[in-house]
Amino acid sequence: SSDLWARNGGHGMLIEARGAGPCILFHAPNDTPNERARMVAVTYTDDGLSIVGDEMPGSMYPADDS
């Protein structure tokens, strides 16, 4: 199996975002006090979940892999 989000991030939860469908909501980076909310669209697959695209508008942390 592979990580859903292999970049620096903390615990997450699955939500159904109004108008966006299933998303994972988590904090990143996993580095106090720099944590910010991030939300990424996902889809259900036969193997579990897959990320559908980039972060959703309104994520509090810019897309940065640092």
Side-chain angles (χ1 to χ4, degrees):
S1 83
S2 62
D3 294 333
L4 183 61
W5 186 266
R7 296 179 246 174
N8 187 358
H11 58 275
M13 67 183 98
L14 291 171
I15 63 169
E16 285 287 330
R18 199 172 326 152
C23 294
I24 185 167
L25 182 64
F26 59 98
H27 67 81
N30 199 15
D31 177 36
T32 303
N34 299 315
E35 295 124 330
R36 300 293 182 267
R38 297 179 86 164
M39 187 167 67
V40 178
V42 296
T43 189
Y44 297 100
T45 68
D46 291 339
D47 296 322
L49 293 171
S50 291
I51 291 180
V52 173
D54 295 325
E55 288 183 78
M56 304 296 294
S59 285
M60 300 297 292
Y61 184 76
D64 174 344
D65 292 358
S66 60

Short mmCIF file of all heavy atoms in Angstrom, two decimals:
data_model
loop_
_atom_site.label_atom_id
_atom_site.label_comp_id
_atom_site.label_asym_id
_atom_site.label_seq_id
_atom_site.Cartn_x
_atom_site.Cartn_y
_atom_site.Cartn_z
N SER A 1 0.84 -1.19 0.00
CA SER A 1 0.00 0.00 0.00
C SER A 1 0.88 1.24 0.00
O SER A 1 2.04 1.19 0.37
CB SER A 1 -0.95 -0.02 1.19
OG SER A 1 -0.34 0.46 2.35
N SER A 2 0.31 2.35 -0.41
CA SER A 2 1.06 3.61 -0.44
C SER A 2 0.33 4.65 0.38
O SER A 2 -0.85 4.52 0.67
CB SER A 2 1.24 4.09 -1.88
OG SER A 2 -0.02 4.34 -2.45
N ASP A 3 1.07 5.68 0.77
CA ASP A 3 0.49 6.77 1.55
C ASP A 3 -0.47 7.58 0.69
O ASP A 3 -0.20 7.82 -0.49
CB ASP A 3 1.58 7.71 2.06
CG ASP A 3 2.49 7.05 3.07
OD1 ASP A 3 2.05 6.10 3.74
OD2 ASP A 3 3.65 7.49 3.18
N LEU A 4 -1.56 8.01 1.29
CA LEU A 4 -2.48 8.89 0.58
C LEU A 4 -1.84 10.26 0.39
O LEU A 4 -1.95 10.87 -0.67
CB LEU A 4 -3.79 9.02 1.38
CG LEU A 4 -4.89 9.86 0.75
CD1 LEU A 4 -5.31 9.27 -0.59
CD2 LEU A 4 -6.09 9.94 1.67
N TRP A 5 -1.15 10.76 1.41
CA TRP A 5 -0.46 12.05 1.35
C TRP A 5 0.94 11.80 1.89
O TRP A 5 1.13 11.72 3.11
CB TRP A 5 -1.19 13.09 2.19
CG TRP A 5 -0.64 14.46 2.08
CD1 TRP A 5 0.28 15.05 2.91
CD2 TRP A 5 -0.94 15.43 1.09
NE1 TRP A 5 0.57 16.32 2.49
CE2 TRP A 5 -0.17 16.58 1.37
CE3 TRP A 5 -1.76 15.44 -0.01
CZ2 TRP A 5 -0.23 17.73 0.59
CZ3 TRP A 5 -1.82 16.59 -0.79
CH2 TRP A 5 -1.06 17.70 -0.48
N ALA A 6 1.92 11.64 1.04
CA ALA A 6 3.27 11.28 1.45
C ALA A 6 4.10 12.48 1.89
O ALA A 6 5.21 12.33 2.34
CB ALA A 6 3.98 10.54 0.31
N ARG A 7 3.53 13.67 1.77
CA ARG A 7 4.24 14.88 2.18
C ARG A 7 4.03 15.13 3.66
O ARG A 7 3.26 14.44 4.32
CB ARG A 7 3.77 16.07 1.36
CG ARG A 7 4.10 15.89 -0.11
CD ARG A 7 3.59 17.05 -0.91
NE ARG A 7 2.54 16.56 -1.79
CZ ARG A 7 1.79 17.32 -2.55
NH1 ARG A 7 1.94 18.62 -2.53
NH2 ARG A 7 0.87 16.80 -3.32
N ASN A 8 4.67 16.14 4.18
CA ASN A 8 4.61 16.49 5.59
C ASN A 8 3.21 16.92 5.99
O ASN A 8 2.72 17.96 5.54
CB ASN A 8 5.62 17.61 5.86
CG ASN A 8 5.76 17.94 7.31
OD1 ASN A 8 5.08 17.38 8.17
ND2 ASN A 8 6.64 18.87 7.60
N GLY A 9 2.54 16.14 6.81
CA GLY A 9 1.20 16.48 7.27
C GLY A 9 0.81 15.66 8.48
O GLY A 9 1.38 14.61 8.74
N GLY A 10 -0.16 16.16 9.22
CA GLY A 10 -0.61 15.49 10.43
C GLY A 10 -1.91 14.74 10.22
O GLY A 10 -2.41 14.61 9.12
N HIS A 11 -2.44 14.25 11.34
CA HIS A 11 -3.65 13.44 11.31
C HIS A 11 -4.75 14.13 10.51
O HIS A 11 -4.84 15.34 10.49
CB HIS A 11 -4.13 13.15 12.74
CG HIS A 11 -4.40 14.38 13.53
ND1 HIS A 11 -3.40 15.05 14.21
CD2 HIS A 11 -5.53 15.08 13.73
CE1 HIS A 11 -3.93 16.11 14.80
NE2 HIS A 11 -5.21 16.15 14.53
N GLY A 12 -5.58 13.32 9.88
CA GLY A 12 -6.62 13.88 9.03
C GLY A 12 -7.96 13.23 9.26
O GLY A 12 -8.09 12.27 10.00
N MET A 13 -8.98 13.80 8.62
CA MET A 13 -10.32 13.22 8.67
C MET A 13 -10.97 13.37 7.31
O MET A 13 -10.67 14.29 6.56
CB MET A 13 -11.16 13.89 9.76
CG MET A 13 -11.48 15.34 9.51
SD MET A 13 -12.38 16.06 10.86
CE MET A 13 -11.03 16.87 11.71
N LEU A 14 -11.83 12.42 6.99
CA LEU A 14 -12.59 12.48 5.75
C LEU A 14 -13.87 13.27 5.99
O LEU A 14 -14.52 13.11 7.02
CB LEU A 14 -12.96 11.08 5.27
CG LEU A 14 -11.80 10.24 4.78
CD1 LEU A 14 -12.26 8.82 4.54
CD2 LEU A 14 -11.20 10.84 3.53
N ILE A 15 -14.19 14.14 5.05
CA ILE A 15 -15.42 14.93 5.13
C ILE A 15 -16.11 14.92 3.77
O ILE A 15 -15.49 14.61 2.75
CB ILE A 15 -15.14 16.39 5.56
CG1 ILE A 15 -14.27 17.11 4.52
CG2 ILE A 15 -14.50 16.44 6.93
CD1 ILE A 15 -14.18 18.61 4.73
N GLU A 16 -17.38 15.24 3.76
CA GLU A 16 -18.12 15.47 2.52
C GLU A 16 -18.29 16.98 2.42
O GLU A 16 -19.11 17.57 3.13
CB GLU A 16 -19.49 14.79 2.56
CG GLU A 16 -19.42 13.30 2.37
CD GLU A 16 -19.10 12.88 0.94
OE1 GLU A 16 -19.45 13.61 -0.01
OE2 GLU A 16 -18.49 11.81 0.78
N ALA A 17 -17.49 17.63 1.59
CA ALA A 17 -17.53 19.09 1.45
C ALA A 17 -18.67 19.48 0.52
O ALA A 17 -18.79 18.94 -0.58
CB ALA A 17 -16.20 19.60 0.91
N ARG A 18 -19.49 20.38 0.97
CA ARG A 18 -20.62 20.84 0.17
C ARG A 18 -20.13 21.35 -1.18
O ARG A 18 -19.29 22.23 -1.25
CB ARG A 18 -21.36 21.95 0.92
CG ARG A 18 -22.75 22.16 0.42
CD ARG A 18 -23.53 23.12 1.28
NE ARG A 18 -23.17 23.00 2.69
CZ ARG A 18 -23.26 23.99 3.56
NH1 ARG A 18 -23.69 25.15 3.19
NH2 ARG A 18 -22.92 23.81 4.82
N GLY A 19 -20.63 20.80 -2.25
CA GLY A 19 -20.27 21.22 -3.59
C GLY A 19 -18.95 20.65 -4.09
O GLY A 19 -18.58 20.86 -5.23
N ALA A 20 -18.23 19.92 -3.23
CA ALA A 20 -16.93 19.38 -3.66
C ALA A 20 -16.85 17.87 -3.50
O ALA A 20 -15.96 17.25 -4.05
CB ALA A 20 -15.81 20.04 -2.87
N GLY A 21 -17.75 17.27 -2.74
CA GLY A 21 -17.71 15.83 -2.53
C GLY A 21 -16.72 15.44 -1.45
O GLY A 21 -16.37 16.23 -0.59
N PRO A 22 -16.22 14.20 -1.50
CA PRO A 22 -15.33 13.72 -0.45
C PRO A 22 -13.98 14.42 -0.48
O PRO A 22 -13.39 14.64 -1.53
CB PRO A 22 -15.18 12.23 -0.74
CG PRO A 22 -15.54 12.06 -2.17
CD PRO A 22 -16.49 13.18 -2.51
N CYS A 23 -13.51 14.79 0.71
CA CYS A 23 -12.22 15.46 0.86
C CYS A 23 -11.53 14.93 2.11
O CYS A 23 -12.18 14.41 3.01
CB CYS A 23 -12.40 16.96 1.03
SG CYS A 23 -13.07 17.81 -0.39
N ILE A 24 -10.23 15.08 2.15
CA ILE A 24 -9.49 14.82 3.38
C ILE A 24 -9.04 16.17 3.92
O ILE A 24 -8.56 17.03 3.16
CB ILE A 24 -8.31 13.85 3.16
CG1 ILE A 24 -7.66 13.51 4.49
CG2 ILE A 24 -7.32 14.38 2.16
CD1 ILE A 24 -6.69 12.35 4.43
N LEU A 25 -9.25 16.38 5.19
CA LEU A 25 -8.90 17.62 5.88
C LEU A 25 -7.82 17.27 6.90
O LEU A 25 -8.00 16.32 7.67
CB LEU A 25 -10.14 18.19 6.55
CG LEU A 25 -10.02 19.50 7.29
CD1 LEU A 25 -9.66 20.63 6.33
CD2 LEU A 25 -11.33 19.82 8.00
N PHE A 26 -6.70 17.98 6.87
CA PHE A 26 -5.59 17.67 7.77
C PHE A 26 -4.76 18.92 7.99
O PHE A 26 -5.02 19.96 7.40
CB PHE A 26 -4.73 16.54 7.19
CG PHE A 26 -4.14 16.84 5.84
CD1 PHE A 26 -2.85 17.29 5.72
CD2 PHE A 26 -4.90 16.67 4.69
CE1 PHE A 26 -2.31 17.57 4.47
CE2 PHE A 26 -4.37 16.94 3.44
CZ PHE A 26 -3.08 17.39 3.34
N HIS A 27 -3.76 18.82 8.86
CA HIS A 27 -2.88 19.97 9.06
C HIS A 27 -1.50 19.68 8.49
O HIS A 27 -1.06 18.54 8.45
CB HIS A 27 -2.81 20.38 10.54
CG HIS A 27 -2.14 19.38 11.43
ND1 HIS A 27 -0.78 19.27 11.54
CD2 HIS A 27 -2.66 18.44 12.25
CE1 HIS A 27 -0.48 18.32 12.40
NE2 HIS A 27 -1.61 17.79 12.85
N ALA A 28 -0.86 20.73 8.01
CA ALA A 28 0.49 20.62 7.46
C ALA A 28 1.15 21.99 7.48
O ALA A 28 0.47 22.99 7.38
CB ALA A 28 0.43 20.08 6.03
N PRO A 29 2.42 22.07 7.64
CA PRO A 29 3.29 20.95 7.94
C PRO A 29 3.06 20.45 9.36
O PRO A 29 2.42 21.13 10.16
CB PRO A 29 4.68 21.53 7.77
CG PRO A 29 4.54 22.98 8.14
CD PRO A 29 3.15 23.35 7.66
N ASN A 30 3.58 19.31 9.69
CA ASN A 30 3.45 18.76 11.03
C ASN A 30 4.56 19.33 11.89
O ASN A 30 5.45 18.63 12.34
CB ASN A 30 3.51 17.23 10.97
CG ASN A 30 2.93 16.58 12.19
OD1 ASN A 30 2.25 17.22 12.96
ND2 ASN A 30 3.22 15.30 12.35
N ASP A 31 4.51 20.65 12.08
CA ASP A 31 5.59 21.39 12.73
C ASP A 31 5.00 22.58 13.47
O ASP A 31 4.67 23.60 12.86
CB ASP A 31 6.58 21.85 11.64
CG ASP A 31 7.71 22.69 12.17
OD1 ASP A 31 8.19 22.42 13.29
OD2 ASP A 31 8.12 23.62 11.46
N THR A 32 4.86 22.47 14.79
CA THR A 32 4.33 23.57 15.61
C THR A 32 5.29 24.73 15.57
O THR A 32 6.49 24.51 15.68
CB THR A 32 4.14 23.07 17.06
OG1 THR A 32 3.28 21.94 17.04
CG2 THR A 32 3.56 24.14 17.95
N PRO A 33 4.88 25.96 15.42
CA PRO A 33 3.53 26.50 15.33
C PRO A 33 3.09 26.76 13.89
O PRO A 33 2.23 27.58 13.64
CB PRO A 33 3.65 27.82 16.08
CG PRO A 33 5.01 28.31 15.67
CD PRO A 33 5.86 27.05 15.58
N ASN A 34 3.67 26.07 12.93
CA ASN A 34 3.42 26.36 11.51
C ASN A 34 2.26 25.58 10.90
O ASN A 34 2.00 25.71 9.71
CB ASN A 34 4.69 26.08 10.70
CG ASN A 34 5.83 26.95 11.15
OD1 ASN A 34 5.66 28.14 11.37
ND2 ASN A 34 6.99 26.36 11.35
N GLU A 35 1.57 24.75 11.69
CA GLU A 35 0.48 23.94 11.14
C GLU A 35 -0.64 24.82 10.62
O GLU A 35 -1.01 25.80 11.24
CB GLU A 35 -0.10 23.00 12.21
CG GLU A 35 0.89 21.98 12.67
CD GLU A 35 1.09 22.03 14.17
OE1 GLU A 35 0.94 23.13 14.76
OE2 GLU A 35 1.40 20.99 14.73
N ARG A 36 -1.19 24.45 9.48
CA ARG A 36 -2.34 25.13 8.88
C ARG A 36 -3.26 24.08 8.29
O ARG A 36 -2.83 23.01 7.89
CB ARG A 36 -1.90 26.08 7.76
CG ARG A 36 -0.95 27.18 8.19
CD ARG A 36 -1.64 28.18 9.13
NE ARG A 36 -0.76 29.25 9.50
CZ ARG A 36 0.01 29.29 10.59
NH1 ARG A 36 0.03 28.27 11.42
NH2 ARG A 36 0.76 30.33 10.85
N ALA A 37 -4.53 24.40 8.24
CA ALA A 37 -5.51 23.46 7.68
C ALA A 37 -5.31 23.32 6.18
O ALA A 37 -5.05 24.30 5.48
CB ALA A 37 -6.92 23.96 7.96
N ARG A 38 -5.43 22.09 5.69
CA ARG A 38 -5.36 21.80 4.26
C ARG A 38 -6.52 20.89 3.92
O ARG A 38 -6.91 20.04 4.71
CB ARG A 38 -4.05 21.13 3.90
CG ARG A 38 -2.85 22.04 4.19
CD ARG A 38 -1.58 21.37 3.85
NE ARG A 38 -1.28 21.56 2.44
CZ ARG A 38 -0.08 21.34 1.91
NH1 ARG A 38 0.90 20.90 2.64
NH2 ARG A 38 0.11 21.52 0.62
N MET A 39 -7.08 21.06 2.73
CA MET A 39 -8.20 20.23 2.29
C MET A 39 -7.93 19.80 0.85
O MET A 39 -7.65 20.64 -0.01
CB MET A 39 -9.52 21.01 2.38
CG MET A 39 -10.72 20.16 2.10
SD MET A 39 -12.29 20.95 2.56
CE MET A 39 -12.37 22.29 1.40
N VAL A 40 -8.02 18.49 0.60
CA VAL A 40 -7.72 17.93 -0.71
C VAL A 40 -8.87 17.00 -1.11
O VAL A 40 -9.32 16.17 -0.32
CB VAL A 40 -6.39 17.14 -0.67
CG1 VAL A 40 -6.10 16.51 -2.01
CG2 VAL A 40 -5.25 18.04 -0.25
N ALA A 41 -9.34 17.13 -2.34
CA ALA A 41 -10.42 16.27 -2.85
C ALA A 41 -9.90 14.85 -3.04
O ALA A 41 -8.77 14.65 -3.49
CB ALA A 41 -10.96 16.82 -4.16
N VAL A 42 -10.73 13.88 -2.69
CA VAL A 42 -10.39 12.46 -2.88
C VAL A 42 -11.55 11.75 -3.56
O VAL A 42 -12.65 12.29 -3.66
CB VAL A 42 -10.07 11.77 -1.52
CG1 VAL A 42 -8.85 12.36 -0.88
CG2 VAL A 42 -11.26 11.82 -0.58
N THR A 43 -11.27 10.56 -4.05
CA THR A 43 -12.31 9.72 -4.61
C THR A 43 -12.16 8.32 -4.02
O THR A 43 -11.06 7.91 -3.66
CB THR A 43 -12.24 9.67 -6.15
OG1 THR A 43 -13.38 9.01 -6.65
CG2 THR A 43 -11.00 9.00 -6.65
N TYR A 44 -13.27 7.64 -3.88
CA TYR A 44 -13.25 6.26 -3.39
C TYR A 44 -12.91 5.34 -4.55
O TYR A 44 -13.45 5.48 -5.64
CB TYR A 44 -14.60 5.90 -2.79
CG TYR A 44 -14.96 6.74 -1.59
CD1 TYR A 44 -15.83 7.81 -1.72
CD2 TYR A 44 -14.40 6.47 -0.36
CE1 TYR A 44 -16.16 8.60 -0.62
CE2 TYR A 44 -14.71 7.26 0.75
CZ TYR A 44 -15.59 8.32 0.61
OH TYR A 44 -15.89 9.09 1.70
N THR A 45 -12.00 4.40 -4.32
CA THR A 45 -11.60 3.43 -5.33
C THR A 45 -11.76 2.03 -4.76
O THR A 45 -12.03 1.86 -3.57
CB THR A 45 -10.14 3.63 -5.76
OG1 THR A 45 -9.28 3.28 -4.66
CG2 THR A 45 -9.86 5.06 -6.19
N ASP A 46 -11.55 1.02 -5.58
CA ASP A 46 -11.60 -0.37 -5.10
C ASP A 46 -10.52 -0.63 -4.05
O ASP A 46 -10.67 -1.52 -3.20
CB ASP A 46 -11.43 -1.35 -6.26
CG ASP A 46 -12.63 -1.35 -7.19
OD1 ASP A 46 -13.73 -0.92 -6.75
OD2 ASP A 46 -12.48 -1.76 -8.35
N ASP A 47 -9.43 0.14 -4.11
CA ASP A 47 -8.32 -0.04 -3.18
C ASP A 47 -8.39 0.88 -1.96
O ASP A 47 -7.53 0.82 -1.10
CB ASP A 47 -6.98 0.20 -3.90
CG ASP A 47 -6.74 -0.81 -5.00
OD1 ASP A 47 -7.09 -1.98 -4.80
OD2 ASP A 47 -6.20 -0.41 -6.05
N GLY A 48 -9.36 1.77 -1.91
CA GLY A 48 -9.47 2.71 -0.78
C GLY A 48 -9.77 4.11 -1.27
O GLY A 48 -10.83 4.37 -1.79
N LEU A 49 -8.79 5.01 -1.13
CA LEU A 49 -8.95 6.41 -1.53
C LEU A 49 -7.82 6.82 -2.44
O LEU A 49 -6.70 6.33 -2.32
CB LEU A 49 -8.91 7.33 -0.30
CG LEU A 49 -10.05 7.24 0.68
CD1 LEU A 49 -9.73 8.06 1.92
CD2 LEU A 49 -11.34 7.72 0.05
N SER A 50 -8.10 7.77 -3.33
CA SER A 50 -7.08 8.40 -4.17
C SER A 50 -7.31 9.89 -4.18
O SER A 50 -8.45 10.35 -4.16
CB SER A 50 -7.16 7.90 -5.62
OG SER A 50 -6.79 6.56 -5.69
N ILE A 51 -6.23 10.64 -4.23
CA ILE A 51 -6.32 12.10 -4.34
C ILE A 51 -6.75 12.44 -5.75
O ILE A 51 -6.23 11.89 -6.72
CB ILE A 51 -4.99 12.76 -3.96
CG1 ILE A 51 -4.75 12.57 -2.46
CG2 ILE A 51 -4.97 14.23 -4.35
CD1 ILE A 51 -3.47 13.16 -1.94
N VAL A 52 -7.70 13.38 -5.87
CA VAL A 52 -8.27 13.75 -7.16
C VAL A 52 -7.51 14.90 -7.81
O VAL A 52 -7.45 15.02 -9.01
CB VAL A 52 -9.76 14.14 -7.00
CG1 VAL A 52 -10.33 14.70 -8.28
CG2 VAL A 52 -10.55 12.95 -6.55
N GLY A 53 -6.94 15.79 -7.05
CA GLY A 53 -6.26 16.94 -7.63
C GLY A 53 -5.47 17.68 -6.59
O GLY A 53 -4.98 17.09 -5.63
N ASP A 54 -5.38 18.97 -6.77
CA ASP A 54 -4.65 19.81 -5.84
C ASP A 54 -5.54 20.20 -4.67
O ASP A 54 -6.69 19.82 -4.58
CB ASP A 54 -4.16 21.07 -6.57
CG ASP A 54 -3.13 20.72 -7.64
OD1 ASP A 54 -2.35 19.78 -7.42
OD2 ASP A 54 -3.13 21.39 -8.69
N GLU A 55 -4.99 21.02 -3.80
CA GLU A 55 -5.75 21.50 -2.66
C GLU A 55 -6.97 22.28 -3.09
O GLU A 55 -6.98 22.91 -4.14
CB GLU A 55 -4.88 22.40 -1.80
CG GLU A 55 -3.84 21.62 -1.04
CD GLU A 55 -3.05 22.53 -0.16
OE1 GLU A 55 -3.56 22.90 0.90
OE2 GLU A 55 -1.92 22.86 -0.54
N MET A 56 -7.99 22.23 -2.27
CA MET A 56 -9.22 22.96 -2.52
C MET A 56 -9.01 24.44 -2.22
O MET A 56 -8.25 24.78 -1.32
CB MET A 56 -10.34 22.43 -1.62
CG MET A 56 -10.59 20.95 -1.75
SD MET A 56 -11.17 20.46 -3.36
CE MET A 56 -12.76 21.24 -3.37
N PRO A 57 -9.68 25.32 -2.95
CA PRO A 57 -9.63 26.74 -2.61
C PRO A 57 -10.08 26.93 -1.17
O PRO A 57 -10.97 26.24 -0.69
CB PRO A 57 -10.62 27.38 -3.56
CG PRO A 57 -10.74 26.41 -4.68
CD PRO A 57 -10.53 25.04 -4.09
N GLY A 58 -9.41 27.80 -0.46
CA GLY A 58 -9.75 28.05 0.93
C GLY A 58 -8.84 27.32 1.89
O GLY A 58 -8.91 27.54 3.08
N SER A 59 -7.96 26.44 1.38
CA SER A 59 -6.99 25.84 2.29
C SER A 59 -6.15 26.96 2.88
O SER A 59 -5.83 27.93 2.21
CB SER A 59 -6.08 24.85 1.54
OG SER A 59 -6.77 23.67 1.26
N MET A 60 -5.82 26.79 4.12
CA MET A 60 -5.15 27.86 4.85
C MET A 60 -3.65 27.86 4.66
O MET A 60 -2.96 28.73 5.12
CB MET A 60 -5.46 27.73 6.35
CG MET A 60 -6.93 27.81 6.67
SD MET A 60 -7.65 29.39 6.25
CE MET A 60 -6.83 30.44 7.44
N TYR A 61 -3.11 26.87 3.98
CA TYR A 61 -1.67 26.73 3.85
C TYR A 61 -1.33 26.59 2.38
O TYR A 61 -1.89 25.76 1.71
CB TYR A 61 -1.24 25.47 4.63
CG TYR A 61 0.22 25.23 4.68
CD1 TYR A 61 1.04 25.98 5.51
CD2 TYR A 61 0.80 24.25 3.90
CE1 TYR A 61 2.39 25.75 5.56
CE2 TYR A 61 2.14 24.01 3.94
CZ TYR A 61 2.94 24.75 4.78
OH TYR A 61 4.29 24.51 4.83
N PRO A 62 -0.44 27.40 1.87
CA PRO A 62 -0.12 27.32 0.43
C PRO A 62 0.47 25.97 0.06
O PRO A 62 1.15 25.34 0.87
CB PRO A 62 0.90 28.45 0.23
CG PRO A 62 1.39 28.80 1.57
CD PRO A 62 0.36 28.39 2.57
N ALA A 63 0.21 25.51 -1.14
CA ALA A 63 0.74 24.23 -1.61
C ALA A 63 2.25 24.34 -1.72
O ALA A 63 2.79 24.98 -2.59
CB ALA A 63 0.12 23.87 -2.96
N ASP A 64 2.94 23.73 -0.77
CA ASP A 64 4.39 23.82 -0.67
C ASP A 64 4.85 22.51 -0.06
O ASP A 64 4.36 22.11 0.99
CB ASP A 64 4.75 25.00 0.23
CG ASP A 64 6.23 25.10 0.53
OD1 ASP A 64 6.96 24.13 0.32
OD2 ASP A 64 6.64 26.16 1.01
N ASP A 65 5.76 21.83 -0.68
CA ASP A 65 6.18 20.52 -0.21
C ASP A 65 7.29 20.57 0.82
O ASP A 65 7.91 19.57 1.10
CB ASP A 65 6.64 19.68 -1.39
CG ASP A 65 5.49 19.34 -2.30
OD1 ASP A 65 4.35 19.71 -2.01
OD2 ASP A 65 5.76 18.69 -3.31
N SER A 66 7.55 21.72 1.39
CA SER A 66 8.65 21.80 2.35
C SER A 66 8.31 21.15 3.65
O SER A 66 7.21 20.85 3.97
CB SER A 66 9.04 23.25 2.58
OG SER A 66 7.94 23.99 3.09
#
